[in-house]
Amino acid sequence: MIITCPHCQTKYQVTYEAIGSVGRKVQCAYCQRAWQQEPVRPEAPPEPADQLFEAMAEDGLDEALAAEEKAVAAELAQRLAAEQEHKTKPAGELDPAVIRKRQKAFLRRQSALIAHLPLARLRRAARVGGTLILCGLIGLFYFGRVQLVERIPSLAGVYASLGMGVNVVGLDFSNITAQRALRDGKDVLIVSAQLVGLLPDPVAVPPVVVTLLDPSGAAIYEWSVTPSVRDLMAGERSSFDTQLALPPGEAARMRLSFGATAGNVALRQTTPISGNAGPSAPQAPISPEHP
């Protein structure tokens, strides 16, 4: 015989003896609700195939119902899990922390999906390549500044403004001194300095240019001195002296520089001039002042 749960309409096939002639209380394995099942009289004599069910005792019915209950409970748990996964609540009923957690999880999944796209890989490779190129240019600008200034002399001012003076001549000035003196009643400017080699290989010494500047920095007089030494290397020094009779009275500063040679940029050092020309003008030392 077949009984039906009056609450969820789930049907069960049981024997007449399991219900008995007075009925019994049973529980639905699907909705877990109980009801009093009244006896149902068979309308026709049982077929031979139904004799197996007639032989089932009440204990057999309990085992069948328990097995059915487990199967239905498992199915119900799967349905509830699926519904819970797709179930949504109004935004006002959700905890803000839960919303933020779900948003972060969604963004992570979205980013992971986007990261595997060909265009995203291309952008990532372009960023890495651009970073490497930028680092290479910075390294070249710093470590290869001498070679760059040799090829592009105008970059010397850029390096000087950054506090990274570039000496491409391989020579430098040291112990620069200048004095105004009276000789035979005439005002004389005496300039002396030392030439210092900086490179391990010998460097040809170019002429030294002495330039007198007015207070605004404009050149008003210039002459050249050829040092007695032809070349210098690291650690070697050579002195030179020069003098100018009757220097211009408006000269305020003096500049020493190496004459520019092929592939080189002139190295300059500027020194202020103090003291006045005249019969009683004392000797005035000039201290070096680097630009």
Side-chain angles (χ1 to χ4, degrees), residues 192-286:
S192 65
Q194 282 191 339
L195 304 178
V196 182
L198 302 178
L199 299 180
D201 297 326
V203 176
V205 179
V208 177
V209 179
V210 183
T211 306
L212 299 182
L213 309 174
D214 63 11
S216 64
I220 58 177
Y221 193 80
E222 184 177 273
W223 74 97
S224 177
V225 180
T226 301
S228 59
V229 64
R230 289 187 175 183
D231 55 58
L232 291 172
M233 57 191 300
E236 294 182 342
R237 293 173 176 264
S238 176
S239 300
F240 82 95
D241 299 281
T242 184
Q243 55 183 309
L244 176 67
L246 300 176
E250 62 270 24
R253 289 183 296 166
M254 179 196 68
R255 183 176 66 202
L256 292 182
S257 61
F258 289 109
T261 59
N264 288 334
V265 179
L267 178 68
R268 301 176 177 179
Q269 291 193 14
T270 304
T271 300
I273 297 177
S274 61
N276 296 319
S280 60
Q283 294 183 356
I286 302 175

Coordinates of all heavy atoms in Angstrom, one line a residue, residues 192-286:
S192 N 99.8 82.3 -10.2 CA 100.5 81.0 -10.2 C 99.5 79.9 -9.8 O 98.6 80.2 -9.1 CB 101.7 81.1 -9.2 OG 101.2 81.3 -7.9
A193 N 99.8 78.7 -10.2 CA 99.0 77.6 -9.9 C 99.7 76.3 -10.2 O 100.9 76.3 -10.7 CB 97.7 77.6 -10.7
Q194 N 99.2 75.2 -9.8 CA 99.7 73.9 -10.1 C 98.8 73.1 -10.9 O 97.5 73.1 -10.7 CB 100.0 73.1 -8.8 CG 101.3 73.5 -8.1 CD 101.7 72.5 -7.0 OE1 100.8 71.8 -6.5 NE2 102.9 72.5 -6.6
L195 N 99.3 72.4 -11.9 CA 98.5 71.5 -12.7 C 98.6 70.1 -12.2 O 99.7 69.6 -11.9 CB 99.0 71.5 -14.2 CG 99.0 72.9 -14.9 CD1 99.6 72.7 -16.3 CD2 97.7 73.5 -14.9
V196 N 97.5 69.4 -12.0 CA 97.5 68.1 -11.4 C 96.9 67.1 -12.4 O 95.8 67.3 -13.0 CB 96.6 68.1 -10.1 CG1 96.6 66.7 -9.5 CG2 97.1 69.1 -9.2
G197 N 97.6 65.9 -12.6 CA 97.1 64.8 -13.4 C 96.1 64.0 -12.7 O 96.3 63.7 -11.5
L198 N 95.0 63.5 -13.4 CA 93.9 62.8 -12.7 C 93.8 61.3 -13.3 O 93.3 60.5 -12.6 CB 92.6 63.5 -12.8 CG 92.5 64.9 -12.2 CD1 91.1 65.5 -12.5 CD2 92.8 64.9 -10.7
L199 N 94.2 61.1 -14.5 CA 94.0 59.8 -15.1 C 95.2 58.9 -15.1 O 96.4 59.4 -15.0 CB 93.6 60.0 -16.6 CG 92.3 60.8 -16.8 CD1 92.0 61.0 -18.3 CD2 91.1 60.2 -16.0
P200 N 95.0 57.6 -15.1 CA 96.2 56.7 -15.0 C 97.1 56.8 -16.2 O 98.3 56.4 -16.2 CB 95.6 55.3 -14.8 CG 94.2 55.5 -15.3 CD 93.8 56.9 -15.0
D201 N 96.5 57.2 -17.4 CA 97.3 57.3 -18.6 C 97.7 58.8 -18.8 O 97.0 59.7 -18.3 CB 96.5 56.9 -19.8 CG 96.1 55.4 -19.7 OD1 96.9 54.6 -19.2 OD2 95.0 55.1 -20.2
P202 N 98.9 59.0 -19.4 CA 99.3 60.4 -19.6 C 98.3 61.2 -20.4 O 97.7 60.7 -21.4 CB 100.6 60.2 -20.4 CG 101.1 58.8 -20.1 CD 99.8 58.0 -19.9
V203 N 98.1 62.4 -20.0 CA 97.1 63.3 -20.7 C 97.9 64.5 -21.2 O 98.7 65.2 -20.4 CB 96.0 63.8 -19.7 CG1 95.1 64.8 -20.4 CG2 95.2 62.6 -19.2
A204 N 97.7 64.9 -22.4 CA 98.4 66.1 -23.0 C 97.9 67.3 -22.3 O 96.7 67.5 -22.1 CB 98.2 66.1 -24.5
V205 N 98.8 68.2 -21.9 CA 98.5 69.4 -21.2 C 98.2 70.5 -22.2 O 99.1 70.9 -23.0 CB 99.6 69.8 -20.2 CG1 99.2 71.1 -19.5 CG2 99.9 68.7 -19.2
P206 N 97.0 71.0 -22.3 CA 96.7 72.1 -23.3 C 97.1 73.4 -22.7 O 97.5 73.5 -21.5 CB 95.2 72.0 -23.4 CG 94.7 71.5 -22.1 CD 95.8 70.6 -21.6
P207 N 97.1 74.5 -23.5 CA 97.4 75.8 -22.9 C 96.4 76.2 -21.8 O 95.2 75.8 -21.8 CB 97.2 76.7 -24.2 CG 97.4 75.8 -25.3 CD 96.8 74.5 -24.9
V208 N 96.9 77.0 -20.9 CA 96.0 77.5 -19.8 C 95.6 79.0 -20.2 O 96.5 79.8 -20.5 CB 96.8 77.5 -18.5 CG1 95.9 78.1 -17.4 CG2 97.2 76.1 -18.1
V209 N 94.3 79.2 -20.1 CA 93.8 80.5 -20.5 C 93.4 81.3 -19.2 O 92.7 80.7 -18.3 CB 92.5 80.4 -21.4 CG1 92.0 81.7 -21.7 CG2 92.9 79.6 -22.6
V210 N 94.0 82.5 -19.1 CA 93.7 83.4 -17.9 C 92.7 84.5 -18.4 O 93.1 85.2 -19.4 CB 95.0 84.0 -17.3 CG1 94.6 84.8 -16.1 CG2 96.0 82.9 -17.0
T211 N 91.6 84.6 -17.8 CA 90.6 85.5 -18.2 C 90.2 86.4 -17.0 O 90.0 86.0 -15.9 CB 89.3 84.8 -18.7 OG1 89.6 83.9 -19.7 CG2 88.3 85.8 -19.2
L212 N 90.2 87.7 -17.3 CA 89.8 88.7 -16.3 C 88.3 89.1 -16.5 O 88.0 89.3 -17.7 CB 90.7 90.0 -16.3 CG 92.2 89.7 -16.1 CD1 92.9 91.0 -16.2 CD2 92.4 89.0 -14.8
L213 N 87.5 89.1 -15.4 CA 86.1 89.4 -15.5 C 85.7 90.6 -14.8 O 86.3 90.9 -13.7 CB 85.3 88.2 -15.0 CG 85.7 86.8 -15.5 CD1 84.9 85.7 -14.8 CD2 85.4 86.7 -17.0
D214 N 84.7 91.3 -15.3 CA 84.2 92.5 -14.6 C 83.2 92.0 -13.5 O 82.9 90.8 -13.5 CB 83.6 93.5 -15.5 CG 82.4 93.0 -16.3 OD1 81.9 91.9 -15.9 OD2 82.0 93.6 -17.3
P215 N 82.6 92.9 -12.7 CA 81.7 92.5 -11.7 C 80.4 91.7 -12.2 O 79.9 90.9 -11.5 CB 81.3 93.8 -11.0 CG 82.5 94.7 -11.2 CD 83.0 94.4 -12.6
S216 N 80.1 92.0 -13.5 CA 78.9 91.3 -14.0 C 79.3 90.0 -14.6 O 78.4 89.2 -15.1 CB 78.3 92.2 -15.1 OG 79.2 92.4 -16.2
G217 N 80.5 89.6 -14.6 CA 81.0 88.3 -15.1 C 81.4 88.3 -16.6 O 81.7 87.3 -17.2
A218 N 81.4 89.5 -17.2 CA 81.8 89.6 -18.6 C 83.3 89.6 -18.7 O 84.0 90.2 -17.9 CB 81.2 90.8 -19.3
A219 N 83.9 88.9 -19.7 CA 85.3 88.9 -19.9 C 85.8 90.2 -20.5 O 85.2 90.8 -21.4 CB 85.7 87.8 -20.9
I220 N 86.8 90.8 -19.9 CA 87.4 92.1 -20.3 C 88.8 92.0 -20.8 O 89.3 92.8 -21.5 CB 87.3 93.1 -19.2 CG1 88.0 92.7 -18.0 CG2 85.8 93.5 -18.9 CD1 88.0 93.7 -16.8
Y221 N 89.5 90.9 -20.4 CA 90.8 90.7 -20.9 C 91.2 89.2 -20.8 O 90.7 88.6 -19.8 CB 91.8 91.5 -20.1 CG 93.2 91.6 -20.8 CD1 93.4 92.4 -21.9 CD2 94.2 90.8 -20.3 CE1 94.7 92.5 -22.5 CE2 95.5 90.8 -20.9 CZ 95.7 91.7 -22.0 OH 96.9 91.7 -22.6
E222 N 92.0 88.7 -21.7 CA 92.3 87.3 -21.7 C 93.6 87.1 -22.4 O 94.0 87.7 -23.4 CB 91.2 86.5 -22.4 CG 91.3 85.0 -22.4 CD 90.2 84.3 -23.1 OE1 89.2 84.1 -22.4 OE2 90.3 84.1 -24.3
W223 N 94.4 86.1 -21.8 CA 95.7 85.7 -22.4 C 95.9 84.3 -22.1 O 95.3 83.7 -21.2 CB 96.8 86.6 -22.0 CG 97.3 86.4 -20.6 CD1 98.4 85.6 -20.2 CD2 96.8 86.9 -19.4 NE1 98.6 85.6 -18.9 CE2 97.6 86.5 -18.3 CE3 95.8 87.8 -19.1 CZ2 97.4 86.8 -17.0 CZ3 95.6 88.1 -17.7 CH2 96.4 87.6 -16.7
S224 N 96.8 83.7 -22.9 CA 97.1 82.2 -22.8 C 98.5 82.0 -22.4 O 99.4 82.7 -22.8 CB 96.8 81.6 -24.2 OG 97.1 80.2 -24.2
V225 N 98.7 80.9 -21.6 CA 100.0 80.5 -21.1 C 100.2 79.0 -21.5 O 99.3 78.2 -21.3 CB 100.1 80.7 -19.6 CG1 101.5 80.3 -19.1 CG2 99.7 82.1 -19.2
T226 N 101.4 78.8 -22.1 CA 101.7 77.4 -22.5 C 102.6 76.8 -21.4 O 103.7 77.3 -21.1 CB 102.5 77.3 -23.8 OG1 101.6 77.9 -24.8 CG2 102.8 75.9 -24.2
P227 N 102.1 75.8 -20.7 CA 102.9 75.1 -19.6 C 104.1 74.5 -20.1 O 104.2 74.1 -21.3 CB 101.9 74.1 -19.0 CG 100.5 74.5 -19.4 CD 100.7 75.2 -20.8
S228 N 105.1 74.4 -19.2 CA 106.4 73.8 -19.6 C 106.3 72.3 -19.8 O 107.2 71.7 -20.4 CB 107.4 74.2 -18.6 OG 107.1 73.7 -17.3
V229 N 105.3 71.6 -19.2 CA 105.2 70.2 -19.2 C 104.3 69.8 -20.4 O 103.3 70.5 -20.6 CB 104.7 69.6 -17.9 CG1 103.3 70.1 -17.6 CG2 104.8 68.1 -17.9
R230 N 104.5 68.7 -21.0 CA 103.7 68.3 -22.2 C 102.5 67.4 -21.7 O 101.4 67.5 -22.3 CB 104.6 67.5 -23.2 CG 105.5 68.4 -23.9 CD 106.2 67.5 -25.0 NE 107.1 68.3 -25.8 CZ 107.7 67.9 -26.9 NH1 107.6 66.6 -27.2 NH2 108.5 68.7 -27.6
D231 N 102.7 66.5 -20.8 CA 101.6 65.6 -20.4 C 101.8 65.3 -18.9 O 102.9 65.4 -18.3 CB 101.6 64.4 -21.2 CG 102.9 63.6 -21.2 OD1 103.4 63.2 -20.1 OD2 103.4 63.4 -22.3
L232 N 100.7 64.9 -18.3 CA 100.7 64.5 -16.9 C 99.8 63.3 -16.7 O 98.8 63.1 -17.5 CB 100.1 65.7 -16.0 CG 101.0 66.9 -15.9 CD1 100.2 68.0 -15.1 CD2 102.3 66.6 -15.1
M233 N 100.1 62.5 -15.7 CA 99.2 61.4 -15.4 C 98.9 61.4 -13.9 O 99.3 62.4 -13.2 CB 99.9 60.0 -15.7 CG 101.3 59.8 -15.1 SD 102.2 58.4 -15.7 CE 101.0 57.1 -15.4
A234 N 98.1 60.5 -13.4 CA 97.6 60.5 -12.0 C 98.8 60.7 -11.0 O 99.8 59.9 -11.1 CB 96.8 59.3 -11.7
G235 N 98.7 61.7 -10.1 CA 99.7 61.9 -9.1 C 100.8 62.8 -9.5 O 101.6 63.3 -8.6
E236 N 100.9 63.2 -10.8 CA 101.9 64.1 -11.2 C 101.4 65.6 -11.1 O 100.3 65.8 -11.4 CB 102.4 63.8 -12.6 CG 103.1 62.4 -12.7 CD 103.5 62.1 -14.2 OE1 103.0 62.8 -15.1 OE2 104.4 61.3 -14.3
R237 N 102.4 66.5 -10.8 CA 102.0 67.9 -10.7 C 103.1 68.7 -11.5 O 104.2 68.3 -11.6 CB 102.0 68.4 -9.2 CG 100.9 67.8 -8.4 CD 101.0 68.1 -7.0 NE 99.8 67.6 -6.2 CZ 98.8 68.3 -5.9 NH1 98.7 69.6 -6.3 NH2 97.8 67.8 -5.2
S238 N 102.6 69.9 -11.9 CA 103.5 70.8 -12.6 C 103.1 72.2 -12.3 O 101.9 72.5 -12.4 CB 103.6 70.6 -14.1 OG 104.4 71.5 -14.7
S239 N 104.0 73.1 -11.9 CA 103.7 74.5 -11.6 C 103.8 75.4 -12.8 O 104.6 75.1 -13.8 CB 104.6 75.0 -10.5 OG 104.4 74.3 -9.3
F240 N 103.0 76.4 -12.9 CA 103.2 77.5 -13.9 C 102.9 78.8 -13.3 O 102.2 79.0 -12.3 CB 102.3 77.2 -15.1 CG 100.9 77.7 -14.9 CD1 100.5 78.9 -15.4 CD2 99.9 76.9 -14.2 CE1 99.2 79.4 -15.2 CE2 98.6 77.4 -14.1 CZ 98.3 78.6 -14.6
D241 N 103.6 79.9 -13.9 CA 103.4 81.2 -13.4 C 103.2 82.1 -14.6 O 103.8 81.9 -15.7 CB 104.6 81.7 -12.6 CG 104.8 80.9 -11.4 OD1 104.2 81.1 -10.4 OD2 105.7 80.0 -11.4
T242 N 102.5 83.2 -14.4 CA 102.3 84.2 -15.4 C 102.0 85.5 -14.7 O 101.5 85.5 -13.6 CB 101.2 83.8 -16.4 OG1 101.1 84.8 -17.4 CG2 99.8 83.7 -15.7
Q243 N 102.2 86.6 -15.4 CA 101.9 87.9 -14.9 C 101.4 88.9 -16.0 O 101.8 88.7 -17.2 CB 103.1 88.5 -14.1 CG 104.4 88.6 -15.0 CD 105.5 89.1 -14.2 OE1 105.4 90.1 -13.5 NE2 106.7 88.4 -14.2
L244 N 100.7 89.9 -15.6 CA 100.1 90.8 -16.5 C 100.4 92.2 -15.9 O 100.0 92.5 -14.8 CB 98.6 90.7 -16.7 CG 97.9 91.7 -17.6 CD1 98.4 91.6 -19.0 CD2 96.4 91.5 -17.5
A245 N 101.1 93.1 -16.7 CA 101.4 94.4 -16.3 C 100.2 95.3 -16.6 O 99.5 95.1 -17.6 CB 102.6 95.0 -17.1
L246 N 99.9 96.2 -15.7 CA 98.8 97.1 -15.8 C 97.5 96.4 -16.1 O 96.8 96.6 -17.2 CB 99.1 98.2 -17.0 CG 100.3 99.0 -16.7 CD1 100.6 99.9 -17.9 CD2 100.2 99.9 -15.5
P247 N 97.0 95.6 -15.2 CA 95.7 94.9 -15.4 C 94.6 95.9 -15.4 O 94.7 97.0 -14.8 CB 95.6 93.9 -14.3 CG 96.4 94.5 -13.2 CD 97.6 95.2 -13.9
P248 N 93.4 95.6 -16.1 CA 92.3 96.6 -16.1 C 91.8 96.9 -14.7 O 91.7 95.9 -13.9 CB 91.3 95.9 -17.0 CG 92.0 94.9 -17.8 CD 93.2 94.5 -17.0
G249 N 91.5 98.1 -14.4 CA 91.1 98.5 -13.1 C 89.7 97.9 -12.8 O 89.4 97.7 -11.6
E250 N 88.9 97.7 -13.8 CA 87.5 97.2 -13.5 C 87.5 95.6 -13.3 O 86.4 95.1 -13.1 CB 86.6 97.6 -14.6 CG 86.9 97.0 -16.0 CD 87.8 97.9 -16.7 OE1 88.5 98.7 -16.1 OE2 87.8 97.8 -18.0
A251 N 88.6 95.0 -13.4 CA 88.7 93.5 -13.2 C 88.3 93.2 -11.8 O 89.0 93.6 -10.9 CB 90.0 93.0 -13.6
A252 N 87.3 92.3 -11.6 CA 86.9 91.9 -10.3 C 87.2 90.5 -10.0 O 87.3 90.1 -8.8 CB 85.4 92.2 -10.1
R253 N 87.2 89.7 -11.0 CA 87.5 88.2 -10.8 C 88.4 87.8 -11.9 O 88.6 88.4 -13.0 CB 86.2 87.4 -10.9 CG 85.3 87.6 -9.7 CD 84.1 86.7 -9.7 NE 83.2 87.1 -10.9 CZ 82.3 86.3 -11.3 NH1 82.0 85.1 -10.7 NH2 81.5 86.7 -12.4
M254 N 89.1 86.6 -11.6 CA 90.0 86.0 -12.6 C 89.6 84.6 -12.7 O 89.2 83.9 -11.8 CB 91.4 86.1 -12.1 CG 92.4 85.4 -13.0 SD 94.0 85.1 -12.2 CE 93.5 83.8 -11.0
R255 N 89.6 84.1 -14.0 CA 89.2 82.7 -14.3 C 90.3 82.0 -15.0 O 90.9 82.5 -16.0 CB 88.0 82.7 -15.1 CG 87.4 81.3 -15.5 CD 86.1 81.4 -16.3 NE 86.4 81.9 -17.6 CZ 85.4 82.5 -18.3 NH1 84.2 82.7 -17.8 NH2 85.7 83.0 -19.5
L256 N 90.7 80.8 -14.5 CA 91.6 79.9 -15.1 C 90.9 78.8 -15.8 O 89.9 78.2 -15.2 CB 92.6 79.3 -14.1 CG 93.6 80.2 -13.4 CD1 94.5 79.5 -12.4 CD2 94.4 81.0 -14.4
S257 N 91.3 78.4 -17.0 CA 90.7 77.3 -17.7 C 91.7 76.7 -18.7 O 92.7 77.3 -19.1 CB 89.4 77.9 -18.5 OG 89.8 78.8 -19.5
F258 N 91.4 75.5 -19.0 CA 92.2 74.8 -20.0 C 91.6 75.1 -21.3 O 90.3 75.0 -21.5 CB 92.2 73.3 -19.8 CG 93.0 72.8 -18.6 CD1 92.4 72.4 -17.4 CD2 94.4 72.9 -18.6 CE1 93.1 72.0 -16.3 CE2 95.1 72.5 -17.5 CZ 94.5 72.1 -16.3
G259 N 92.4 75.4 -22.3 CA 91.9 75.6 -23.6 C 91.3 74.3 -24.2 O 91.8 73.2 -24.0
A260 N 90.1 74.5 -24.8 CA 89.4 73.3 -25.3 C 90.2 72.6 -26.4 O 90.7 73.3 -27.3 CB 88.0 73.7 -25.8
T261 N 90.3 71.3 -26.3 CA 90.9 70.5 -27.4 C 89.9 69.6 -28.0 O 88.7 69.5 -27.6 CB 92.1 69.7 -26.8 OG1 91.6 68.8 -25.8 CG2 93.1 70.6 -26.2
A262 N 90.3 68.9 -29.1 CA 89.3 68.1 -29.8 C 88.8 67.0 -28.8 O 89.5 66.2 -28.2 CB 90.0 67.4 -30.9
G263 N 87.5 67.0 -28.7 CA 86.8 66.0 -27.8 C 86.8 66.3 -26.4 O 86.3 65.5 -25.6
N264 N 87.3 67.5 -26.0 CA 87.4 67.8 -24.6 C 86.6 69.1 -24.3 O 86.4 69.9 -25.3 CB 88.8 68.0 -24.1 CG 89.6 66.7 -23.9 OD1 88.9 65.7 -23.7 ND2 90.9 66.7 -24.1
V265 N 86.2 69.3 -23.1 CA 85.5 70.5 -22.7 C 86.4 71.3 -21.7 O 87.0 70.7 -20.8 CB 84.2 70.2 -22.0 CG1 83.4 71.5 -21.6 CG2 83.3 69.4 -23.0
A266 N 86.5 72.6 -21.9 CA 87.4 73.4 -21.0 C 86.9 73.3 -19.6 O 85.8 73.4 -19.2 CB 87.4 74.8 -21.5
L267 N 87.9 73.0 -18.7 CA 87.7 73.0 -17.2 C 88.0 74.4 -16.7 O 89.1 74.9 -16.9 CB 88.5 71.9 -16.5 CG 88.4 71.9 -15.0 CD1 87.0 71.4 -14.6 CD2 89.5 71.0 -14.5
R268 N 87.1 75.0 -15.9 CA 87.3 76.4 -15.5 C 87.2 76.5 -14.0 O 86.4 75.8 -13.3 CB 86.3 77.3 -16.1 CG 86.3 77.3 -17.6 CD 85.2 78.2 -18.2 NE 85.3 78.2 -19.7 CZ 84.5 78.9 -20.4 NH1 83.5 79.6 -19.9 NH2 84.6 78.9 -21.7
Q269 N 88.0 77.4 -13.4 CA 87.9 77.7 -12.0 C 88.0 79.3 -11.9 O 88.9 79.9 -12.5 CB 89.1 77.1 -11.2 CG 88.9 75.6 -11.0 CD 89.8 75.0 -10.0 OE1 90.4 75.7 -9.2 NE2 90.0 73.7 -10.0
T270 N 87.1 79.9 -11.1 CA 87.1 81.3 -11.0 C 87.5 81.8 -9.6 O 87.2 81.1 -8.6 CB 85.6 81.8 -11.2 OG1 85.2 81.3 -12.5 CG2 85.5 83.3 -11.2
T271 N 88.3 82.9 -9.6 CA 88.8 83.4 -8.4 C 88.6 84.9 -8.3 O 88.8 85.6 -9.3 CB 90.4 83.2 -8.4 OG1 90.6 81.8 -8.4 CG2 91.0 83.8 -7.1
P272 N 88.1 85.5 -7.2 CA 87.9 86.9 -7.1 C 89.2 87.6 -7.0 O 90.2 87.1 -6.5 CB 87.1 87.0 -5.8 CG 87.4 85.9 -5.0 CD 87.7 84.7 -6.0
I273 N 89.2 88.9 -7.5 CA 90.4 89.7 -7.4 C 90.1 90.8 -6.4 O 89.1 91.5 -6.5 CB 90.7 90.3 -8.8 CG1 91.1 89.2 -9.8 CG2 91.9 91.3 -8.7 CD1 91.3 89.7 -11.2
S274 N 91.0 91.0 -5.5 CA 90.9 92.1 -4.5 C 92.1 93.0 -4.6 O 93.1 92.6 -5.1 CB 90.7 91.5 -3.1 OG 91.8 90.8 -2.8
G275 N 91.9 94.3 -4.1 CA 93.0 95.2 -4.1 C 92.9 96.2 -5.2 O 92.2 96.0 -6.2
N276 N 93.5 97.4 -5.0 CA 93.4 98.5 -6.0 C 94.8 98.8 -6.6 O 95.8 98.7 -5.9 CB 92.8 99.7 -5.4 CG 91.4 99.5 -4.9 OD1 90.6 98.9 -5.6 ND2 91.0 100.1 -3.8
A277 N 94.8 99.2 -7.8 CA 96.1 99.6 -8.4 C 96.4 101.0 -7.9 O 95.6 101.8 -7.7 CB 95.9 99.6 -9.9
G278 N 97.7 101.2 -7.8 CA 98.1 102.5 -7.3 C 99.5 102.5 -6.7 O 100.0 101.4 -6.4
P279 N 100.1 103.6 -6.4 CA 101.4 103.6 -5.8 C 101.5 102.9 -4.5 O 102.5 102.3 -4.1 CB 101.7 105.1 -5.7 CG 100.8 105.8 -6.7 CD 99.6 105.0 -6.7
S280 N 100.4 103.0 -3.7 CA 100.5 102.4 -2.4 C 99.6 101.1 -2.3 O 99.3 100.7 -1.2 CB 100.0 103.4 -1.3 OG 98.7 103.8 -1.6
A281 N 99.3 100.5 -3.4 CA 98.4 99.3 -3.3 C 99.2 98.2 -2.7 O 100.3 97.8 -3.2 CB 98.0 98.9 -4.7
P282 N 98.7 97.6 -1.6 CA 99.4 96.4 -1.0 C 99.2 95.2 -1.8 O 98.2 95.1 -2.7 CB 98.7 96.3 0.3 CG 97.3 96.9 0.1 CD 97.5 97.9 -0.9
Q283 N 100.0 94.2 -1.6 CA 99.8 92.9 -2.3 C 98.6 92.2 -1.6 O 98.5 92.1 -0.4 CB 101.0 92.0 -2.1 CG 102.3 92.6 -2.8 CD 103.5 91.7 -2.6 OE1 103.4 90.7 -1.9 NE2 104.5 92.0 -3.3
A284 N 97.7 91.8 -2.5 CA 96.4 91.2 -2.1 C 96.3 89.7 -2.5 O 96.3 89.5 -3.7 CB 95.2 91.9 -2.6
P285 N 96.4 88.8 -1.6 CA 96.3 87.4 -2.0 C 94.9 87.1 -2.5 O 93.9 87.6 -2.1 CB 96.6 86.6 -0.8 CG 96.2 87.5 0.3 CD 96.5 88.9 -0.2
I286 N 94.7 86.2 -3.5 CA 93.5 85.8 -4.1 C 93.2 84.3 -3.8 O 94.0 83.4 -4.1 CB 93.5 86.0 -5.6 CG1 93.8 87.5 -5.9 CG2 92.2 85.6 -6.2 CD1 93.9 87.7 -7.4

